[in-house]
Amino acid sequence: MPMYKERIKELRRLIEKYDYEYYVLDSPTAPDVEYDKLMRELRDLEHAHPEMITSTSPTQRVSGVVAKGFEKIKHEVPMLSLDNVFNDEELENFINKVEKGLSGSKLVKFCAEPKLDGLAVSLLYEDGVLVRAATRGDGNVGENVTLNVKIIKDLPHVLTEDNLPVKLEVRGEVVMLVSDFEKLNERLALEGKKRLVNPRNAAAGSLRQLDTKVTAKRPLKFYSYGIGICEGVDLPGSHYERLKYLSYLGLPLSREVEVTEGYIGCKKYYEDIVTRRSKLPYEVDGVVFKVDDIKQQEDLGFISKAPRWAIAQKFPAQEGKSKLESVEFQVGRTGKITPVANLTPVFIGGVTISRASLHNEDEIRRLGIYVGDEVIVRRAADVIPQIMALSKKSRKRQKIIFPVKCPVCGSDIERVEGEADARCTGGLHCKAQRIEAIKHFCSRKAMNIVGLGSKLVEELVEREIINNPADLYTLTKDLLFSLERMGDKKSENILNAIENSKETTLQKFIFALGVREVGEATAKNLAVTFGELDKLISASIDELVQVQDVGEIVALHVFHFFRQNKNLQVINALRKCGVRWDPVIIDAELLPLKGEIYVLTGTLNRMKRSEAKEALERLGCSVTGSVSARTTAVVAGASAGSKLKKATELGISVRANDEEDAAAALCRRRVTEGVV
C-alpha cells in the first residue's frame, strides 16, 4: 500500500479516537493544536489524492457522536461545523474567496462573534414554548437533553413577546463561566470529589448527565448564535439583526457580537478579542465571522460539512505537551499543601510555561501521572497553567509521593475526612504560613500596605523581626534602614503606608485576617450583617449561617477562627496599634440603594473605579462586572464601550454627565445628604 494511503488511514483513526475522547468521554488526551494539525494534514492529503475522499472521512462530516443513554433526535436542518483559519493570511484568503463568490463584491459585511468553548445545542420553541433541546451530536442526529437544558436559569421556557413564530429553532452554545467553574471546583474539592478539567468539559459533562439532579447543581449558561428554522414570522435579512431579534425574545446573546466590514474590520475585531480574551467571562478559542446578508449566504451556499459564508479564526495554541520533570510541595496561608509540577519549558500562547499547579493528591491520582511522563499542559483562562491529562507514559516513571510531614516546618500533615486538601498542622509555627498570612494582610484588597512586597515580608519573617501582622506596626525607620537594599526614602514610604493602613473598613479588616474560605464578598456580608467586629467574634454558628452566601462549612471556619486565643491576641494587638474603622451602617433607611445592582464602565474622572465601587456598596447596592436584565443602572465614564452599548439596547438607566462622571456626582450627593 502506498505510504500516503497508510498515513490517511492512520490520521483518520487518530482523529476518530480523539473525537470520541472529546465529545463522548469529555476527557481529551490530545491538545487542540495537535488535533487541528492532524485534521489539516488529512485535508491536504485528501486534496492531493481526491480518489481517497470518502463520505465517512472526518473531513467530510461534523465531529461528534451521540452518547449512549440518551434518546436520539434528528435535526430538521443539519447543524454543520465551521472551517478554520489560523492566521491573518488565511483569513484574508477566505474573505477574498467570499468577495469573488459574490461577483467581486467589496467590503462585505460580516457578523463577528467570539467562538465560545462549550457544547452546541438546538432549542425548539413551538408557539413560544420550549418543547425540545438537543446537542449537535454528529450534525444530523443529537442527544435529547431537554430536561437538563430547562434547568439553565437564564433560559426562557416561554417566550412572552407578541407575534411569536409558530416554530422557532434556536442554535447556541452551552458554557460555564470561568468564575462559576472556579467556584464549582472549590465546592467539589470541599466535598472530596474530583475537580473538573476545564470550563468546556465541565459544561459538556454537566449538560449530558443522565441524572438531572447533577445538572441542577452546575451553573450553566446559554448564548444564541443562530436560527435553524423559523415559521410564522418574517425574519430580517441580516444575520446580526436576527440575533438581535432572539435577544428581543429574551434569549441570551453574547455582548461581544457586532458587525464589521471586510478584511481590515475582521482583523481589527480578532485583535480586540485576543487582547480582552482573559477578561471575558467565558472561555473562547477563537472568533467566528459570518457573512451578514442572508441573501449573500444563500448565494455562497455550502460545502460538505460547512458553510462557504462563515469561518472560525482560531487563537494561538493554549495547549501543548511537556515532560513532568519533578514535583515540589508548597505550603499556603491556611496550611494547604499544594503540589507544583516542574515541567520541561514549553511555549504556549506566547508564554513559556515551566510550572503548573497539581491542586492536591486526588488530582494527581485522577490524572494518573508520574514523574517522567509526557503530559498535556493548558493555560487556563490564558493565565494559570494546569496539567490537563496524561499524554504518554514514560518507561522510567517515578511515582509522586505525597509528604506526611510539612516540607517547611516538619509538622504533621493531616487531611480531614471529606476534604480534598491536605494541610500542615503547624499553624503560625510554620514559617511558610506566617509569611503567606502577612502577605495577604498587606495585599491591596486587604490593608493595602504599599511597598511591603513579598520579598521584604519574607526577609522580615526569616530574620524573625515580625511574626504576625500586628508586628508590622512596631517597625521603625532604623530597623528597616538596616535591611539590604533599603534606603532612607523607601523606609519612610513603607512606614507611611503602614500608618495610612490603620484607617480602614471593617470589611477589609475581616478579609485581611485571612479566615479560611472568607473572600471579599463574604467579608462584606459579614461586616454588613454584624456591623461590629465584637458581634462577629461572639456570633454563634446558627447566627453565622444566616449571613448571605455563608454556608455551614464557612460558618464553622469563621466560628473556630474567633475561638483561637492566638487569633484574638493578634486582633487585640492590631487595635492597640491604632487600626480602626468607622461603624458599618446597617439601618435599611440609610441604605438608599439596597437591593439595586450597578455596573461601572469607562474612565471615571473624579475617583478611581475601586473607590466608586466601594462608595456605592456603602449605599447598600451590589456592583457587578456585567450588564444584564437585572441591572438597575450603569454608571458610564469616558470611553465607555460594550457595557454602555448593551445597557442602551436593554433600556437600562445610564448615569452619565459630560462635565463630571456620574459615580462621583452620585457619591458626593449622598455624602451631602449625610448618608455616607
Side-chain angles (χ1 to χ4, degrees), residues 12 15 46 87 114 124 128 188 234 253 256 303 384 399 407 494 524 561 605 669:
R12 289 174 178 171
I15 291 170
E46 289 182 346
N87 54 52
L124 182 63
L188 292 175
D234 292 330
L253 179 68
E256 277 73 39
I303 55 176
I384 307 167
K399 188 174 181 179
I494 290 174
K524 173 191 170 185
F561 180 89
N605 299 322
R669 186 169 73 251

Side-chain angles (χ1 to χ4, degrees), residues 284-441:
V284 296
D285 58 359
V287 298
V288 175
F289 300 111
K290 301 173 184 175
V291 171
D292 188 55
D293 188 288
I294 301 300
K295 178 63 169 60
Q296 290 182 336
Q297 288 185 8
E298 294 170 352
D299 291 342
L300 290 166
F302 300 82
I303 55 176
S304 59
K305 70 164 189 173
R308 288 192 177 94
W309 42 265
I311 201 74
Q313 185 174 9
K314 300 290 285 290
F315 287 146
Q318 299 300 306
E319 295 176 1
K321 292 182 178 180
S322 180
K323 179 182 177 183
L324 177 56
E325 299 280 1
S326 64
V327 175
E328 61 185 65
F329 296 88
Q330 296 182 344
V331 184
R333 172 172 55 84
T334 61
K336 177 183 173 181
I337 307 296
T338 301
V340 177
N342 293 312
L343 306 165
T344 301
V346 56
F347 195 71
I348 302 175
V351 177
T352 300
I353 304 298
S354 59
R355 290 163 67 83
S357 172
L358 284 168
H359 300 293
N360 53 50
E361 189 173 12
D362 286 348
E363 180 73 356
I364 294 172
R365 302 293 169 257
R366 184 188 72 79
L367 292 168
I369 57 174
Y370 285 57
V371 172
D373 286 343
E374 181 181 78
V375 294
I376 297 174
V377 184
R378 186 171 192 263
R379 287 183 63 201
D382 285 348
V383 179
I384 307 167
Q386 67 180 43
I387 293 178
M388 287 185 63
L390 169 68
S391 175
K392 184 179 179 181
K393 294 181 180 179
S394 168
R395 292 182 179 179
K396 298 180 180 179
R397 51 195 330 232
Q398 298 177 343
K399 188 174 181 179
I400 301 170
I401 306 298
F402 213 89
V404 295
K405 298 286 186 181
C406 174
V408 175
C409 70
S411 299
D412 290 339
I413 291 176
E414 70 173 8
R415 180 172 171 179
V416 177
E417 185 177 351
E419 291 189 8
D421 296 324
R423 297 180 187 275
C424 165
T425 59
L428 291 180
H429 166 70
C430 178
K431 188 177 293 183
Q433 292 186 59
R434 291 204 305 275
I435 289 173
E436 294 304 319
I438 295 170
K439 285 181 184 178
H440 173 78
F441 185 86

Side-chain angles (χ1 to χ4, degrees), residues 653-670:
S653 172
V654 176
R655 309 283 182 86
N657 187 297
D658 293 337
E659 297 179 358
E660 59 180 357
D661 67 71
L666 176 64
C667 295
R668 278 197 302 278
R669 186 169 73 251
R670 297 301 187 187

Side-chain angles (χ1 to χ4, degrees), residues 141-198:
V141 178
E143 304 148 352
N144 187 340
V145 289
T146 306
L147 294 178
N148 288 348
V149 162
K150 285 185 174 181
I151 292 171
I152 299 176
K153 292 182 179 179
D154 59 352
L155 188 65
H157 294 189
V158 179
L159 307 178
T160 58
E161 299 299 331
D162 295 331
N163 192 29
L164 291 170
V166 174
K167 179 185 284 189
L168 176 66
E169 185 207 359
V170 181
R171 294 178 173 185
E173 200 86 1
V174 171
V175 302
M176 187 176 292
L177 301 186
V178 175
S179 58
D180 289 336
F181 170 75
E182 292 171 350
K183 291 176 183 176
L184 175 60
N185 259 348
E186 289 174 4
R187 177 167 63 80
L188 292 175
L190 288 172
E191 294 173 355
K193 297 177 181 178
K194 294 180 180 179
R195 297 170 61 92
L196 300 174
V197 176
N198 57 53

Side-chain angles (χ1 to χ4, degrees), residues 600 602-616 618 635 637 660-669 671 676:
L600 300 173
T603 302
L604 306 183
N605 299 322
R606 301 299 181 90
M607 59 171 63
K608 295 179 181 177
R609 288 255 288 267
S610 58
E611 294 172 341
K613 178 177 183 290
E614 186 177 323
L616 288 168
R618 288 205 301 271
V635 176
E660 59 180 357
D661 67 71
L666 176 64
C667 295
R668 278 197 302 278
R669 186 169 73 251
V671 170
V676 179

